[in-house]
Amino acid sequence: MRLSRYFLPVLKETPAEAQIVSHRLMLRAGMIRQSSAGIYSWLPLGYKVLQKLEQIVHEEQQRAGHIPLLMPTLQSADLWRESGRYDDYGEEMLRITDRHGRDMLYGPTNEELITDIFRSYVNSYKDLPLTLYHIQWKFRDERRPRFGVMRGREFLMKDGYNFDLTKEAALHAYNRHLVTYLRTFERMGLQAIPMRADSGPIGGDDTHEFLVLAETGESEVFYDSAVTDLSFGDRAIDYDDVVQCQSIMEEFTTKYARTDETHDEALFNEIPEDRRRSARGIEVGQIFYFGTKYSEAMGATVVNDQQEQVPVHMGSHGIGVSRLIGAIIEASHDDNGIIWPEGVTPFHCGIVNLRQGDEAADAACEALYEQLTNAGLDPLYDDRNERAGGKFATMDLIGLPWRITVGPRGLKNGVVELTSRKTGESVEMAPEAAVARIIEIYT
Amino acid sequence: MRLSRYFLPVLKETPAEAQIVSHRLMLRAGMIRQSSAGIYSWLPLGYKVLQKLEQIVHEEQQRAGHIPLLMPTLQSADLWRESGRYDDYGEEMLRITDRHGRDMLYGPTNEELITDIFRSYVNSYKDLPLTLYHIQWKFRDERRPRFGVMRGREFLMKDGYNFDLTKEAALHAYNRHLVTYLRTFERMGLQAIPMRADSGPIGGDDTHEFLVLAETGESEVFYDSAVTDLSFGDRAIDYDDVVQCQSIMEEFTTKYARTDETHDEALFNEIPEDRRRSARGIEVGQIFYFGTKYSEAMGATVVNDQQEQVPVHMGSHGIGVSRLIGAIIEASHDDNGIIWPEGVTPFHCGIVNLRQGDEAADAACEALYEQLTNAGLDPLYDDRNERAGGKFATMDLIGLPWRITVGPRGLKNGVVELTSRKTGESVEMAPEAAVARIIEIYT
């Protein structure tokens, strides 16, 4: 993309309404614009990151055999009356009446709707196991929306639901989701720690929240510092392998790590003192096993191999896709702006032309742009008639991991400059070497 | 995808509520499920097609330099009061009150919101031209939703908005959109004819609707049969070239083609009699130039090169992404089911194993599956223990363009069968030849 043709409305001033750094930086970098309280338009740069996150979530879910569909945003109140949650849910549920006076709602989650789909089509244990998921906009009418996309009212969530014949099979689905989430967050450059949590209005016994440590997190968390040494890495996973998924679950959840809701001071004190940590965390995902709560209430049964009708065992598993962007920025920024992890960056690298209009500089930039594009990469070329300082400030603010700087002086010596956003380190090299290096980084 | 692990709830019976063939086939093929009146869940197969259409729309819009963003589904009523449309819009607008008593609405379209974004950031003619678009769910509270996704209440639409300094520049944007739409619909295997139309509640002078001819269409249309001979084909387009876009617009819109709203009997009668046609059509897209209607009402101005504040010239341009699936099926089906055009098919081909459990047949199917997958294609392998008749019926119903049939008898002679869904023609060939043929078709 050539910046002269893009829509990147960066702000010079820090918006007064933003209390936390991710909110400030998303506004300043022209990623979002509030359209009403807790409701945002995703400007082109923000939308690009959102799409990258969605793509990673889709890939990791489908790798595990989970099947995507898409449920609508608006739901009939009737299904929620069946489960008993219509009255329970409280004021966070946005209730709507249509022109015919029917009670509707903007879905805050989808246990009822997915259970209805399941019971309409599936009758036999032979069709299990089954995990369905979608990535769709949800609405929760927060009393006091704040922190930008971290606590918005309209937000994008991945929610998946497993349907299994037995508790054991459903716990495998639970473990399988835990493994997919570990991979998903690591691909996004995040360390998200699974912590024992409280199930809240979803219900159920087993649940873990995934938390990214950050000072601005809404949850207080307590953990053994050894959990932060764990990393998923590049493991080969067979998602059908019950033992393998179970052992990864144990590896990542045996050490003490809990939110304040489930914190147990006595257990915490058994950790060696130098490894005891309390901190704040941002919740980016949660997995639940809740058994037959919804299947019994809504009659989602299958015939088992004894010809008996039995309710299916279920769980639900969510990732807060839009809030993840806030979490990533909280975890990765400096005074000059965002520092995108390479897995989610909106553009792979920036190209800064120090002297727009200089024949050699223009030609070198065009050549870099073309070579990177032809290699399947997506560079952002700042081809505006701006001073170098302004161009650098914009690139730092929007946080592309790599920048190639091109100027007449360097070109005389046959070099351009390749700069890491993270370390600030610059290296001079031939333009072809810079292209080769960028390609190497991303492939 | 292996069918034994997929969720494809095909129905044997024809659902009574479905009045038109696309609705019937989408229900029977397990593509959608109604969750409440005019609101659908997109089951895995339907969602897959929806994603393909979205992808084509994104590619063609971005090819023309249009920039994607994403506006929220819920909007504040205040912006609509500013434009004067809040009271005008009538009962089709779904009005919502949030917990604090604020008036909101589920966006039926986005002229107000995009104009608000524009005026917040853009001040100078130097930032023009600019075209922003998004693909987002909309809601229109139809009094009587019907015909499945063709006239649903919650629907997916691409809507794009151009901002230009002058009427001439805005008309170039209009022509550019017309060209992108011709390409878009042809890639989807559709002939969509641009017809002069009425602008309705959006307002404005210039507008064309794109109509797919089909008996079940909601609009009566009148045209010179010569327009159906036009095809866009594989032209190289420079979207900055005003003359080229203008001449394509003229090529496709000069011959008589109008909806009943703008039909002119006298002009129609000037067409040679043997080329006069009246028929029914499904509207799948519409482009508008409406000048300064919204920019004046909402103060979206820029400074021109004379230092004067002038309102920008705008247009809006929509594609009914979810209803397109209905239109494609109306235009492409037979008694046995859907016939997907290759550009939008949910899976590239089906593999039918005639004797699941037969060692040679299983091995041959696995090899085909692997080779096609490794080539970047997405086959659907029917690996269930079903009779051949049931497998064929399912494949015909869901309409994959190509089927490879594998059985022990053929394998003894070293052949499988490659069948075209469209012609029904089958050819025997070596498995490697079938793979090569499928790869050739799709690349």
Side-chain angles (χ1 to χ4, degrees), chain A residues 367-394:
Chain A
L368 288 168
Y369 185 73
E370 193 180 350
Q371 287 159 24
L372 289 165
T373 306
N374 289 346
L377 296 176
D378 193 7
L380 179 68
Y381 169 24
D382 191 343
D383 60 342
R384 299 170 305 161
N385 278 314
E386 295 276 336
R387 284 179 313 112
K391 291 189 175 186
F392 288 144
T394 297

Side-chain angles (χ1 to χ4, degrees), chain A residues 247-262:
Chain A
S247 85
I248 293 172
M249 186 276 282
E250 285 168 3
E251 176 186 348
F252 281 84
T253 61
T254 302
K255 294 199 173 65
Y256 192 92
R258 297 194 175 190
T259 63
D260 53 359
E261 297 159 328
T262 58

Side-chain angles (χ1 to χ4, degrees), chain B residues 217-341:
Chain B
E218 76 276 53
S219 310
E220 196 176 3
V221 298
F222 301 86
Y223 61 96
D224 180 339
S225 68
V227 297
T228 58
D229 299 332
L230 297 169
S231 100
F232 189 80
D234 197 23
R235 308 183 195 197
I237 300 292
D238 173 359
Y239 285 99
D240 291 336
D241 184 333
V242 172
V243 173
Q244 189 186 28
C245 292
Q246 166 86 16
S247 84
I248 294 172
M249 186 276 283
E250 285 169 4
E251 176 187 347
F252 280 84
T253 62
T254 302
K255 293 198 175 66
Y256 192 93
R258 295 194 176 190
T259 63
D260 54 359
E261 295 158 332
T262 58
H263 180 52
D264 181 325
E265 198 66 29
L267 278 178
F268 186 61
N269 286 330
E270 288 173 14
I271 309 170
E273 192 166 1
D274 63 320
R275 286 179 10 208
R276 274 178 232 157
R277 297 281 187 284
S278 78
R280 301 203 69 84
I282 301 167
E283 187 205 330
V284 291
Q286 188 160 10
I287 54 177
F288 294 95
Y289 162 71
F290 46 67
T292 57
K293 175 180 156 118
Y294 294 92
S295 55
E296 285 191 28
M298 298 181 64
T301 61
V302 293
V303 172
N304 68 13
D305 62 356
Q306 309 294 311
Q307 304 301 317
E308 300 158 335
Q309 288 279 353
V310 293
V312 291
H313 286 258
M314 293 175 58
S316 70
H317 314 281
I319 292 179
V321 179
S322 49
R323 83 170 348 215
L324 264 169
I325 299 187
I328 292 168
I329 296 174
E330 291 291 333
S332 184
H333 68 270
D334 64 16
D335 288 346
N336 297 323
I338 301 164
I339 305 171
W340 290 116

